[in-house]
Every structure is written in structure tokens, then in C-alpha cells.
Amino acid sequence: MPGRLSIYDDKAFKIDASSLIQNDMIQELNPRYNIPPTTPIPALLNNGNYLYTHFGYLPSWASSKASMNINARSESIYEKKTFRDSFKYRRCIIPINGFYEWEKDDKEKTPYLVSDIKNDYLALAGIWDEYFDKQLNMKIVTIALITCDANEKLGKIHHRMPVVLEKKDFATWLKSDDIKEVNSLFKIYPNEKIDIYEVTNEVNKVLFDEVICIKKVSRKLTEKKEEKKEIGQLSLF
């Protein structure tokens, strides 16, 4: 359940999605390294608009922001009244450079950055709707990320992960009216395609947003766990 994102470079995505972007309303991206919910994030809507959206989904009929969702489960998205119409008619792609998950050990929470091991970005499957924001006195586009079971590599930290789209599936996700075809894109992103590494604890601070957030600070997760295991065994003697 990615609740914190890193989005600082969308150039590669815009090249890959150039045939689908009809109206680039973002132009030069504003780099952000530690994005929490309710913050503006870029998304390519299935109407061709590439624009900043509200990170946190609110259907048009919602009575208040208290019903906001940042994630929608792929397994039940078509069954939920909240998400059903958006899944059928209002899908989007959210290009991110990485997302954070936390390893919980006793009272300690260690942040890790998850990114694509080869590409510059992850193209996340999402849904959108327009919600009338009374404070702003205007309609805003709100989005939710779609999640699935985590792969084995990420599963050491968290049991869920976002649905990641391949470049070849961008058009199908945005344009297809065949729900079975769209559902077939809900695949678990393979272990070998993601990189996971520990980052600074400053990420734990919602308002901390510096480039240091994405810098590696220690060995990879598997090595760290082996070290902990060895220390635990030695403590028995």
C-alpha cells in the first residue's frame, strides 16, 4: 500500500506515452522526493490530459473528504460502488520514480525505496474522478493507485504493491472497453524488475522533501536480514 511517492523526472514516461498525451498541462515537472497523500501528483488520464491531480481518490458524489482512498484493490475494484464507474470509464496512468515502504521491527520503522531496476520510472495503474472541493470552490481531479499482492522480493516488507503497467499495455489500460482485457493487466510486477534499498529515516517526516530521500544508506534488505539472523543466533551463547 504505497502511501508515499517520489516523482522527480517524467521525461522517459512522456516519450513512451507521447502518442497518448493530447494535452500536456504539466510541461516542466516540479521534482518531489517524498510525496504524501493529498499532494498534487502527475497523471495521464484516459481523455488525453496529462496534469496534476489530487493524490487521494474522491468520487464525484462523496459528501466530504473523509471518504478519501489512496488505493483501490485490484481484486475487488469492480465490485465496489466507490470505484466501479471510474474503473470502467476513468482510468489513468501515474508515472512515479519510486515509492516507499517501511520494514517494521519492534518499535522501529525503517524506510525503503522501491523503484524499477532498469527503467527511469514505474507506470502505475490508477483511476480518477472529479470532485467539487468546497474550500477551493472548484472541481479537482482525484486519483487512487490500484494495488495487488506484492511479489516475493517486496513481500519481505509489505504484502501489497501497486499494479505496474508495461509500456506495451498503456493504450489498452487507457482505451479498452473490454473489462476482461483490462483485468488481465492486473499482474504482479516480477522480482527481477524492482530494486529495493534502505533510505534515510528523514523520509519518516511527512514534510521532509529533499533529494537525500532517494539516496541509498545501507546494504539491501536481504543482506540486512541475514545479518540480523546471525546476530540473533550468536546471542543464544
Side-chain angles (χ1 to χ4, degrees):
M1 170 177 156
R4 210 79 68 79
L5 311 174
S6 181
I7 307 172
Y8 53 85
D9 187 347
D10 65 350
K11 294 183 180 64
F13 170 74
K14 287 168 75 169
I15 291 172
D16 289 346
S18 58
S19 64
L20 298 166
I21 299 174
Q22 298 177 19
N23 186 18
D24 184 356
M25 301 168 69
I26 290 179
Q27 298 295 324
E28 194 71 25
L29 183 72
N30 178 32
R32 296 291 304 273
Y33 301 96
N34 189 18
I35 303 174
T38 74
T39 304
I41 61 173
L44 172 57
L45 311 188
N46 59 339
N47 61 14
N49 289 333
Y50 181 53
L51 74 171
Y52 281 112
T53 63
H54 180 272
F55 180 20
Y57 175 85
L58 290 157
S60 58
W61 43 263
S63 58
S64 74
K65 289 185 177 180
S67 59
M68 186 183 79
N69 291 275
I70 62 172
N71 298 307
R73 294 175 65 93
S74 60
E75 299 90 341
S76 58
I77 191 170
Y78 195 70
E79 301 168 3
K80 301 286 186 180
K81 176 187 174 183
T82 302
F83 306 126
R84 187 186 303 127
D85 281 353
S86 286
F87 175 56
K88 289 173 65 176
Y89 306 116
R90 294 180 294 276
R91 297 187 293 271
C92 64
I93 300 174
I94 304 106
I96 69 171
N97 300 106
F99 65 91
Y100 300 97
E101 288 295 358
W102 281 260
E103 180 188 22
K104 298 178 182 178
D105 185 8
D106 296 327
K107 295 182 180 180
E108 188 178 350
K109 290 175 62 178
T110 304
Y112 288 83
L113 180 69
V114 184
S115 60
D116 193 287
I117 204 164
K118 181 180 178 181
N119 299 315
D120 294 331
Y121 68 92
L122 293 164
L124 308 188
I127 54 172
W128 65 277
D129 204 346
E130 286 188 314
Y131 171 79
F132 186 80
D133 189 314
K134 294 178 182 178
Q135 290 181 319
L136 297 176
N137 195 34
M138 62 182 288
K139 285 185 177 180
I140 59 172
V141 176
T142 70
I143 63 101
L145 317 177
I146 299 175
T147 66
C148 61
D149 287 336
N151 60 33
E152 185 179 358
K153 192 173 183 180
L154 179 58
K156 294 181 174 71
I157 301 175
H158 199 275
H159 66 289
R160 302 290 290 178
M161 72 182 299
V163 172
V164 180
L165 300 169
E166 302 279 2
K167 176 184 173 181
K168 64 181 178 61
D169 296 323
F170 287 1
T172 299
W173 174 251
L174 292 180
K175 302 295 184 180
S176 179
D177 293 325
D178 186 336
I179 294 300
K180 287 185 178 179
E181 183 180 34
V182 173
N183 268 327
S184 71
L185 303 181
F186 291 155
K187 302 172 184 175
I188 298 173
Y189 208 51
N191 290 327
E192 64 272 16
K193 290 190 175 184
I194 65 167
D195 192 19
I196 307 176
Y197 58 82
E198 185 179 340
V199 292
T200 175
N201 283 332
E202 294 293 331
V203 170
N204 296 342
K205 302 173 183 176
V206 175
L207 298 180
F208 188 82
D209 185 24
E210 303 292 340
V211 69
I212 192 176
C213 290
I214 62 172
K215 302 298 183 183
K216 185 182 299 187
V217 298
S218 71
R219 296 184 300 279
K220 290 184 180 180
L221 175 65
T222 53
E223 295 172 345
K224 183 176 178 181
K225 282 189 174 294
E226 285 301 316
E227 183 178 287
K228 285 183 177 180
K229 183 179 178 181
E230 290 177 8
I231 292 173
Q233 290 173 337
L234 289 171
S235 66
L236 296 175
F237 299 97

